[in-house]
Amino acid sequence: QVQLVESGGGSVQAGGSLRLSCAPSTAANRRECMGWFRQAPGKAREGVASIHTTGGGTTYADSVKGRFTISQDSGSGNSTVYLQMNSLKPEDTAMYYCATGTPSVLDGTCGLVRNRFKYWGQGMQVNVSS
């Protein structure tokens, strides 16, 4: 069972910043793709950003491009992944989930396709007030 340890959620005013962190509990739990998804009340879960942990390629949802940055720190061996969220908006309010999975067999990218990510964290609430 892959376990992902998440931290960093919370409340912030519009225009503020938060940084989310996610790390597999052991290096053996790491998969090639790490991603962030979010789900607002009454809405479907949507992809926010992903990163290929060996190739470094990233993907972003249009709604967060230019405001959010996904990155990784491999120095610890467990490859902690971060989501730096700047210029936050009330519409960014959601439960944020870290996930890990495998890249597309067609082009090797991670993308934001939910069913490619098979292991999920418990989720963290992010609230952005106006």
Side-chain angles (χ1 to χ4, degrees):
Q1 181 79 19
V2 174
Q3 291 183 320
L4 300 174
V5 180
E6 303 164 316
S7 63
S11 297
V12 67
Q13 289 190 324
S17 299
L18 284 173
R19 188 175 80 158
L20 308 183
S21 301
C22 173
S25 56
T26 68
N29 288 339
R30 193 185 74 179
R31 299 294 185 269
E32 289 177 276
C33 295
M34 296 288 289
W36 291 97
F37 291 73
R38 66 186 181 186
Q39 187 166 17
K43 295 188 177 182
R45 192 171 297 189
E46 63 175 357
V48 175
S50 70
I51 186 166
H52 195 295
T53 59
T54 53
T58 57
T59 304
Y60 293 93
D62 288 343
S63 60
V64 306
K65 282 180 181 177
R67 300 188 299 121
F68 291 10
T69 303
I70 189 169
S71 62
Q72 64 176 336
D73 173 12
S74 300
S76 68
N78 282 5
S79 193
T80 300
V81 172
Y82 304 96
L83 185 69
Q84 178 67 43
M85 305 186 295
N86 297 328
S87 302
L88 282 161
K89 304 175 181 180
E91 51 263 45
D92 294 317
T93 294
M95 186 73 79
Y96 282 71
Y97 297 90
C98 176
T100 188
T102 54
S104 167
V105 297
L106 297 178
D107 60 14
T109 62
C110 293
L112 296 172
V113 177
R114 180 178 172 179
N115 62 11
R116 191 167 299 137
F117 292 81
K118 297 189 181 302
Y119 304 102
W120 294 79
Q122 293 298 309
M124 299 177 290
Q125 183 66 39
V126 171
N127 293 315
V128 184
S129 58
S130 58

